[in-house]
Amino acid sequence: LATSTQQQLINIVTTLNAKPEVEVAVQDSLLERNAISQVSTSLPTQWTWEISPATGNYGMEMIRAPQLWNLNEALKKSSFFAPIAVIDAGFAPNHPDLIYTNNQTPNQILSHGTQVAGIIGATFNNTIGVDGINPFAELYVRGRDNPTPALPNDPLQGRSSVGDVHINALLDLFLERSDIRVVNISLGYTWGGGFPPIDTSLQNNQTSEDARDLASRHGRIADITIGNISALINPIFTPIIVTSAGNDSNVFPTPQLARYNSPFTNAALEHNNQNIIVAEAVDVTGTRAGFSNVDGTLFAPG
């Protein structure tokens, strides 16, 4: 529903929430890309394999990817390629190290989605770029649901609305390929980008309760959507959603709570959705990275 004033929006949302047939109604909002670390100037960039995690590929060493790859030959014989979806801001359509099973938004081109897809499933052992963690990933990717490319002068700068990411992208993916096992969504609210802070002890110890309420209601919608995918599209299993805890803790004076980073983190941490993994970041020392939001469900190299 489109409105011309904030008060009209409030009135419509209030009316909808009063209807017994409506579970939850809330205004839409924008999500932006959760930052991917740039090449660290404190670490050598060469990929050399050490027993103790170090250099530019410390993340691969920390999760023991080389040990995982020892199973590659056995897995090839099974002929099973895991369908994995990535919902992000955009993807390079003709990347030499990426093979998409399906790119649903080929005109949305941004480095963030391309890098995320590469971490997951870049072509293995082809002497180009990096090796993806899962050499057997069938990549289904979807960028921002917008008809125009995300160019440098794009006012949205690759941001996408909660409605696009929640409902359209997830449901479209599963209607097309109901056996997708994992969906990666590294998107979050714009709290750290000059927008009003959401967490406690940020600016003069003030908290935006409206922002928290927005995240909570979006989280409820995410929780319902994932439940509907399981019940209506694939009742055999519910997909695993992997999402970022967020990278706002070095923007504000105190560590930020992951539950307010996105609708999906909120669905997991406030609404107890068991099918969402919220990943915090650890650095090369194995401790929480200073930028990472807190109280997620697991740590991973970031």
Side-chain angles (χ1 to χ4, degrees), residues 14-302:
T14 301
T15 299
L16 289 172
N17 277 310
K19 294 180 178 295
E21 64 271 25
V22 174
E23 179 74 22
V24 59
V26 62
Q27 71 185 68
D28 208 348
S29 181
L30 290 179
L31 301 178
E32 65 180 358
R33 300 151 287 175
N34 283 149
I36 293 178
S37 301
Q38 300 299 309
V39 174
S40 174
T41 56
S42 64
L43 293 174
T45 56
Q46 292 81 9
W47 278 45
T48 56
W49 297 104
E50 303 93 356
I51 294 176
S52 297
T55 65
N57 59 332
Y58 81 89
M60 292 289 199
E61 295 164 338
M62 193 174 287
I63 68 171
R64 297 189 291 177
Q67 291 89 323
L68 171 73
W69 293 332
N70 284 331
L71 301 174
N72 284 358
E73 292 304 316
L75 289 171
K76 284 180 184 177
K77 297 176 183 178
S78 72
S79 300
F80 176 76
F81 292 84
I84 296 174
V86 183
I87 297 175
D88 212 285
F91 304 85
N94 298 307
H95 195 285
D97 203 24
L98 285 172
I99 299 174
Y100 304 120
T101 301
N102 189 314
N103 184 353
Q104 293 195 352
T105 45
N107 292 325
Q108 304 308 311
I109 304 170
L110 281 173
S111 59
H112 188 278
T114 306
Q115 186 169 349
V116 170
I119 291 169
I120 294 170
T123 304
F124 186 80
N125 202 28
N126 65 345
T127 73
I128 298 174
V130 301
D131 289 335
I133 293 169
N134 183 358
F136 304 98
E138 288 188 347
L139 291 173
Y140 286 74
V141 301
R142 183 183 180 97
R144 183 174 53 131
D145 193 9
N146 188 294
T148 58
L151 300 173
N153 60 351
D154 181 355
L156 292 179
Q157 290 295 304
R159 292 172 181 156
S160 55
S161 79
V162 169
D164 290 338
V165 175
H166 272 185
I167 307 302
N168 297 342
L170 273 178
L171 293 182
D172 284 353
L173 282 168
F174 284 95
L175 286 170
E176 178 183 320
R177 183 71 185 258
S178 63
D179 61 340
I180 287 175
R181 296 290 199 272
V182 180
V183 183
N184 187 92
I185 306 176
S186 299
L187 299 171
Y189 293 116
T190 55
W191 310 133
F195 289 76
I198 189 168
D199 208 353
T200 57
S201 303
L202 297 182
Q203 296 178 357
N204 301 319
N205 294 320
Q206 296 297 308
T207 300
S208 174
E209 295 302 329
D210 287 340
R212 286 190 172 206
D213 180 67
L214 180 76
S216 180
R217 290 175 180 272
H218 284 164
R220 178 60 182 143
I221 294 174
D223 181 47
I224 293 170
T225 301
I226 294 168
N228 286 341
I229 289 171
S230 178
L232 302 176
I233 299 176
N234 194 328
I236 298 175
F237 66 86
T238 303
I240 297 297
I241 310 291
V242 182
T243 190
S244 167
N247 304 322
D248 297 322
S249 287
N250 62 347
V251 178
F252 299 113
T254 58
Q256 301 303 287
L257 293 176
R259 72 169 54 197
Y260 299 119
N261 180 62
S262 75
F264 298 97
T265 62
N266 190 273
L269 303 173
E270 185 168 311
H271 300 281
N272 200 34
N273 189 294
Q274 298 295 301
N275 293 93
I276 302 174
I277 295 172
V278 180
E280 297 182 39
V282 295
D283 60 23
V284 69
T285 68
T287 57
R288 184 181 70 84
F291 58 81
S292 179
N293 293 0
V294 298
D295 293 339
T297 50
L298 58 75
F299 293 99

